[in-house]
Amino acid sequence: MNKLDTKTHIMDIARRMTMQQGFDAFSYRDISEEIGIKTSSIHYYFPSKQDLAEALVDDYIDYLSQGLQNINENFPNGYERFKGMLELMIATSGQEKQLCLCGMLSANMHAVSEPARHKLGEFFQRFETWTTETLKQGVQDGSIHHLVRPVSTAAEMVAAIEGAMLIARVCLRPNYLPETLDLLLARIRP
Amino acid sequence: MNKLDTKTHIMDIARRMTMQQGFDAFSYRDISEEIGIKTSSIHYYFPSKQDLAEALVDDYIDYLSQGLQNINENFPNGYERFKGMLELMIATSGQEKQLCLCGMLSANMHAVSEPARHKLGEFFQRFETWTTETLKQGVQDGSIHHLVRPVSTAAEMVAAIEGAMLIARVCLRPNYLPETLDLLLARIRP
DNA sequence: ACCTTTATCTATCTACTGGTAGGAGTATAC
DNA sequence: GTATACTCCTACCAGTAGATAGATAAAGGT
């Protein structure tokens, strides 16, 4: 198989396992069995498991940044952009009760290197910044009603999104995640 | 050492390690080395690691229920009660960048038995119910300004609290957790 | 004194962990 | 056509995981 294919395949499986069960909860063997190559071949691409974690973080940040940029380009106003972001988060993490990759790695932060931990911090910072700008934009274009401090609302929103994904994994209510994220949307609806 | 002392000692260490690093990230050996007994002695109290997880959940739910009840008894109005709850959560989990025990076990849910998972779901449900009642009480006694749907606000609040604890572990801002929880308080301030 | 329970120990098990050394086959470059 | 780089393999390692069986010693009850 092509180098990129295998590397991508490894990361796809590792990403899914991380978001479903946590970074400590799977081994190179688990990946190797699913993909059909030996564990030593995985070490060829990711010499240590921390390298794999860092690659997952980089990839996830790229993926979400791209997604948010697409939203900015394709949605006309702040409200629609915010809504698009919530749908993106549900599409990325919500199915199968998966946690946001960066959220899960924050829980498992002992397993990742210091540079990768720093990137996790940057991820949340950038997520908050995007949300702040989007809320401001929405207030300006009239699609979102007045907010006292958009930067504060954005911080609450990001925390609530991550927390909702965490709680959804064990919540007894079947539609907890979409319902809770919808509350966030209802809050800014004009 | 007395049976209860040892059992409590084991749980104290396991609770701290779970909240700091995750349930997968420590072993019976780690506990045994810190406490000074053999791993087989820990198996005497908790035959399987899942038993330990379940005991931690039960204990944590009891502890927080007691804490919330104390708050209800000692604070006069909804606003003060809500504030007391936030301070309790910070005191329990906020130091040393620990995650709420139930939040961490939700992330590590594959490691806990189905009955224990169910208890995690109940925990978040009860937490939300307490918050809903407290917000309603605050609106009624005038300590909290009018809320359109207290039950929705409560759901957002609980998610935001759990999410903030998760993000705080890797956040680059030093006072992220207290500041973010303070935003929740500011939101209901009359 | 004798039996039972409690709490701990020693010793051991199987399975798995991340990780490494070195080689075989294959594709590409020159 | 040979050299080089790439991809995956076999074989292995030391350490660790959770877990069990059985011995031991002390304490308590009768």
Side-chain angles (χ1 to χ4, degrees), chain B residues 52-63:
Chain B
L52 175 57
E54 192 157 349
L56 288 175
V57 173
D58 288 340
D59 183 69
Y60 189 78
I61 289 177
D62 284 351
Y63 166 80

Side-chain angles (χ1 to χ4, degrees), chain A:
Chain A
M1 200 187 283
N2 179 300
K3 171 167 183 168
L4 269 180
D5 284 352
T6 304
K7 191 164 189 172
T8 303
H9 200 176
I10 292 169
M11 287 179 71
D12 287 346
I13 294 169
R15 186 184 313 109
R16 196 198 69 226
M17 287 180 168
T18 301
M19 294 169 77
Q20 272 174 4
Q21 297 146 25
F23 194 72
D24 290 325
F26 71 91
S27 67
Y28 273 29
R29 183 190 283 200
D30 295 324
I31 301 175
S32 87
E33 280 171 3
E34 183 167 337
I35 204 173
I37 59 172
K38 299 293 168 183
T39 61
S40 49
S41 303
I42 302 174
H43 279 287
Y44 169 72
Y45 292 100
F46 304 100
S48 81
K49 211 183 171 189
Q50 287 197 347
D51 296 327
L52 175 56
E54 192 157 349
L56 288 175
V57 172
D58 287 340
D59 182 70
Y60 189 79
I61 290 176
D62 284 352
Y63 166 79
L64 270 195
S65 298
Q66 189 60 53
L68 294 178
Q69 201 180 316
N70 285 347
I71 286 169
N72 282 345
E73 286 163 8
N74 292 314
F75 291 96
N77 61 47
Y79 177 82
E80 293 296 328
R81 286 178 190 175
F82 188 87
K83 188 178 171 195
M85 178 272 286
L86 291 180
E87 282 162 5
L88 175 62
M89 293 308 288
I90 288 190
T92 306
S93 314
Q95 301 151 321
E96 311 287 336
K97 305 205 168 188
Q98 288 182 355
L99 190 53
C100 162
L101 183 113
C102 290
M104 183 61 92
L105 287 177
S106 296
N108 299 156
M109 69 184 224
H110 60 280
V112 305
S113 63
E114 178 46 46
R117 260 203 291 272
H118 194 265
K119 285 176 187 173
L120 292 174
E122 284 178 336
F123 166 77
F124 291 120
Q125 187 58 57
R126 287 168 66 177
F127 191 8
E128 240 184 76
T129 301
W130 183 91
T131 305
T132 302
E133 292 308 311
T134 301
L135 292 178
K136 281 182 182 168
Q137 168 69 28
V139 171
Q140 204 172 358
D141 64 34
S143 62
I144 295 175
H145 68 65
H146 173 70
L147 296 169
V148 181
R149 285 193 73 221
V151 64
S152 301
T153 307
E156 290 176 55
M157 295 286 191
V158 169
I161 291 165
E162 291 293 323
M165 287 192 289
L166 187 66
I167 294 170
R169 314 184 101 225
V170 297
C171 193
L172 308 172
R173 273 177 283 160
N175 280 327
Y176 171 82
L177 184 63
E179 281 172 15
T180 305
L181 296 192
D182 210 52
L183 295 178
L184 302 182
L185 198 59
R187 194 176 149 194
I188 60 168
R189 201 169 286 149

Side-chain angles (χ1 to χ4, degrees), chain B residues 6-189:
Chain B
T6 304
K7 191 164 189 172
T8 303
H9 200 175
I10 293 169
M11 287 178 70
D12 286 346
I13 294 169
R15 186 184 313 109
R16 196 198 69 227
M17 288 179 168
T18 301
M19 293 170 76
Q20 271 175 4
Q21 298 147 22
F23 194 72
D24 290 325
F26 71 91
S27 67
Y28 273 30
R29 184 189 285 198
D30 294 324
I31 301 175
S32 87
E33 279 170 3
E34 184 167 336
I35 205 172
I37 58 172
K38 299 294 169 181
T39 60
S40 49
S41 304
I42 303 174
H43 279 286
Y44 169 73
Y45 292 100
F46 304 100
S48 81
K49 212 182 170 190
Q50 286 197 347
D51 296 326
L52 175 57
E54 192 157 349
L56 288 175
V57 173
D58 288 340
D59 183 69
Y60 189 78
I61 289 177
D62 284 351
Y63 166 80
L64 271 195
S65 297
Q66 188 61 51
L68 294 178
Q69 201 179 317
N70 285 347
I71 285 170
N72 283 346
E73 286 163 9
N74 293 314
F75 291 96
N77 61 46
Y79 177 81
E80 293 296 328
R81 288 178 190 175
F82 187 87
K83 188 179 171 194
M85 179 272 286
L86 291 180
E87 282 162 4
L88 176 62
M89 294 306 290
I90 288 189
T92 305
S93 314
Q95 299 151 320
E96 311 285 337
K97 305 205 167 189
Q98 289 182 356
L99 190 52
C100 163
L101 183 113
C102 290
M104 184 60 92
L105 288 178
S106 296
N108 299 155
M109 70 184 226
H110 59 281
V112 305
S113 62
E114 178 46 47
R117 259 204 291 272
H118 193 265
K119 285 176 187 172
L120 292 175
E122 284 177 336
F123 167 78
F124 291 120
Q125 187 57 59
R126 287 168 66 176
F127 191 8
E128 240 184 78
T129 301
W130 182 91
T131 305
T132 303
E133 293 308 310
T134 302
L135 292 178
K136 282 182 182 170
Q137 167 69 29
V139 171
Q140 204 171 359
D141 65 31
S143 63
I144 294 175
H145 68 64
H146 173 69
L147 295 169
V148 181
R149 285 192 74 221
V151 64
S152 301
T153 308
E156 288 178 55
M157 294 287 192
V158 169
I161 291 165
E162 291 293 324
M165 287 191 290
L166 187 67
I167 294 169
R169 315 185 100 225
V170 296
C171 194
L172 308 172
R173 274 178 281 160
N175 280 328
Y176 171 82
L177 184 63
E179 281 172 16
T180 304
L181 296 193
D182 210 50
L183 296 179
L184 303 181
L185 198 59
R187 193 176 150 194
I188 60 167
R189 201 169 286 149

